[in-house]
Amino acid sequence: MKSTVQDLALFGGQPMFAEPLHVGRPNRPDKQAFFQHADDIWESAWLTNNGPKVQQFEAELAQLFGVKHVIAVCNATIGLQIAIRALGMDGEVIVPSFTFVATAHSLEWQGITPVFCDVDPVTHCMDPARIEQLITPRTTGILPVHVWGNICEVEAIQAIADRHGLKVLYDAAHAFGCEHRGRMVGNFGDAEVFSFHATKVLNTFEGGCITTNDDEVARVIRLMINFGFVGKDQVTHLVSNGKMSESSAAMGLSSLQAYDGFVAHNRRNYEHYRRRLADMPQLAIVEHCEKEKRNFHYIIVRVADDAGISRDTIVRALEAENVLARRYFHPGCHRMEPYRSYYPNAGLLLPVTEKLTDVLLCLPNSTATTAADVEGVCDLLAFILQHRAEIAQRSGGRA
Ligand SMILES: Cc1ncc(COP(=O)(O)O)c(C=O)c1O
């Protein structure tokens, strides 16, 4: 451990971690379990086009979620685009700016205007109290995000949608394995979209799925992920190719077998971080609900306004030590192009988003993060806070 401020890598000392400790290192299942599925694929020579592994993966997910239809897709961004079309969204759709940019892009890519809505300061999910003032005659839907696995206020959002005849599509990229009042995520709104990107709690290298309890929506989505083919030669829609490959489904199936272990590991790390951060009043961990199912995948910390050091200076100091924390979701979609040019004043309506994008950081977690890693990151954070005045001074007076 470091003893003087000069030992910090920011000031020329040796980095505390020899290898970079990233946010989002993948959860990998048992190698033999994955190889067994890969061997089956090799022998069958059925590599894609709704093969047996994709069918099995969809069936296992449908059972886990307790939902009627699960349609596996090549990634969540395409999944969102397809679901948006299948639900007939058009014109304007209300969406948070406090999300990964794919949520907004999936609307804009199809000529739909994303109308940015502010979020709740505690859950970081869309604030239902802000939705109705954004509805215009062009509004066709609401696209909220279950940020960090916190569940949106689904009842309030549905009531607004019903009052105004709007569709609701949830971006559930962070919320695999989470539940709300005993009902699994995957069952809310008109449809939900999960991501199985390598950084997610359960991954298929790249991938995702769309869930719905609506038979007609599911039928249209199945057409839309496969070029619009109804029979061998008949095409009924202008659509896309969103199919998941068999190799991705193999990763998904073996990861499902290992999933409880991933969550247990995540949870141990989360509790470890929480214990250590309790001694650092400048940093507040965003708590996961312990009463319902959660995946404990995201370790989010809020830097207090009076911490005496800014989030960005902490991130720089950590990065120099090879701890690659992330500033999720900095700077917010409304400050990214093309939205920044289209709506230069959007921030005026998004005070909570503007604040959160400045004060949150995400720390490493996943099965690739050991208890010793968590201990080291916390030691480092404590040391940075202890020396925050010198660090701020040496960083050119920037807190
Ligand atoms: C909230 C959110 N929405 C959408 C996406 C896009 O997911 P994918 O990478 O599977 O396209 C991500 C992920 O990376 C995300 O975090």
Side-chain angles (χ1 to χ4, degrees):
M1 194 37 211
K2 310 199 173 241
S3 47
T4 74
V5 75
Q6 272 72 30
D7 294 336
L8 283 171
L10 204 55
F11 302 138
Q14 281 301 311
M16 180 149 161
F17 290 88
E19 297 292 326
L21 189 58
H22 294 270
V23 166
R25 285 190 301 175
N27 280 334
R28 286 179 301 174
D30 176 65
K31 190 171 165 182
Q32 283 319 315
F34 171 69
F35 277 34
Q36 181 58 57
H37 286 297
D39 196 50
D40 296 344
I41 296 168
W42 188 265
E43 291 304 321
S44 73
W46 192 343
L47 307 186
T48 188
N49 287 356
N50 199 28
K53 297 294 174 192
V54 163
Q55 290 179 37
Q56 188 186 340
F57 186 44
E58 288 179 345
E60 290 191 17
L61 290 174
Q63 193 172 18
L64 177 76
F65 298 147
V67 71
K68 241 172 140 180
H69 303 280
V70 174
I71 300 112
V73 289
C74 56
N75 62 57
T77 306
I78 291 287
L80 284 166
Q81 290 174 20
I82 286 173
I84 286 163
R85 284 212 176 203
L87 293 176
M89 289 181 174
D90 202 352
E92 295 175 1
V93 169
I94 298 169
V95 64
S97 168
F98 191 72
T99 179
F100 186 62
V101 74
T103 324
H105 276 356
S106 58
L107 293 165
E108 183 71 27
W109 183 254
Q110 318 190 62
I112 298 173
T113 305
V115 174
F116 293 122
C117 183
D118 212 359
V119 293
D120 180 273
V122 176
T123 65
H124 306 170
C125 297
M126 192 187 269
D127 182 352
R130 308 260 161 240
I131 295 176
E132 270 180 310
Q133 67 203 59
L134 301 173
I135 296 175
T136 74
R138 296 188 69 229
T139 310
T140 58
I142 310 174
L143 174 32
V145 184
H146 302 303
V147 181
W148 324 133
N150 284 339
I151 312 306
C152 297
E153 287 187 50
V154 292
E155 292 86 2
I157 292 170
Q158 195 59 55
I160 294 168
D162 291 345
R163 258 200 312 278
H164 296 271
L166 305 177
K167 297 288 183 190
V168 182
L169 171 64
Y170 284 101
D171 179 336
H174 292 187
F176 184 85
C178 299
E179 66 179 354
H180 173 68
R181 298 191 176 157
R183 207 165 169 221
M184 293 298 282
V185 174
N187 286 279
F188 300 108
D190 294 285
E192 303 207 54
V193 176
F194 293 84
S195 171
F196 302 138
H197 181 257
T199 53
K200 299 296 185 280
V201 63
L202 182 130
N203 86 83
T204 59
F205 306 126
E206 289 270 2
C209 73
I210 310 171
T211 61
T212 180
N213 284 306
D214 184 319
D215 297 343
E216 179 55 17
V217 169
R219 188 188 69 79
V220 173
I221 289 172
R222 287 216 177 270
L223 288 176
M224 288 187 163
I225 65 162
N226 190 29
F227 314 100
F229 274 109
V230 175
K232 264 206 173 111
D233 303 312
Q234 203 193 345
V235 168
T236 55
H237 289 69
L238 164 65
V239 283
S240 191
N241 174 7
K243 292 186 273 56
M244 175 179 274
S245 75
E246 286 291 275
S247 58
S248 283
M251 185 65 164
L253 285 168
S254 39
S255 296
L256 274 178
Q257 275 176 287
Y259 178 72
D260 289 347
F262 296 162
V263 174
H265 188 103
N266 275 353
R267 186 172 188 161
R268 273 195 303 279
N269 281 350
Y270 162 71
E271 282 166 1
H272 191 163
Y273 273 119
R274 198 172 58 166
R275 257 192 328 273
R276 290 288 318 268
L277 291 169
D279 296 332
M280 303 178 211
Q282 301 86 353
L283 303 179
I285 195 162
V286 173
E287 304 220 343
H288 290 287
C289 165
E290 309 246 1
K291 293 195 193 110
E292 298 213 80
K293 284 191 186 129
R294 291 292 182 269
N295 58 44
F296 299 93
H297 198 57
Y298 293 92
I299 307 294
I300 304 295
V301 171
R302 181 178 180 138
V303 180
D305 292 347
D306 59 358
I309 185 166
S310 72
R311 184 272 314 270
D312 288 357
T313 302
I314 295 175
V315 167
R316 267 197 305 278
L318 288 173
E319 198 170 291
E321 305 292 341
N322 262 337
V323 177
L324 308 183
R326 298 291 305 269
R327 302 184 296 172
Y328 286 154
F329 292 107
H330 179 81
C333 296
H334 69 290
R335 289 187 180 274
M336 293 178 169
E337 294 296 356
Y339 317 107
R340 181 191 165 103
S341 297
Y342 292 168
Y343 323 113
N345 299 319
L348 294 174
L349 287 175
L350 305 169
V352 180
T353 301
E354 294 257 290
K355 182 72 195 174
L356 294 178
T357 56
D358 274 352
V359 295
L360 296 184
L361 68 128
C362 180
L363 295 172
N365 194 17
S366 80
T367 51
T369 308
T370 65
D373 292 335
V374 175
E375 193 65 11
V377 171
C378 292
D379 286 345
L380 208 43
L381 283 168
F383 191 79
I384 290 167
L385 291 172
Q386 193 188 339
H387 295 281
R388 59 192 183 277
E390 295 119 291
I391 295 171
Q393 198 186 20
R394 293 281 288 270
S395 304
R398 285 172 302 180

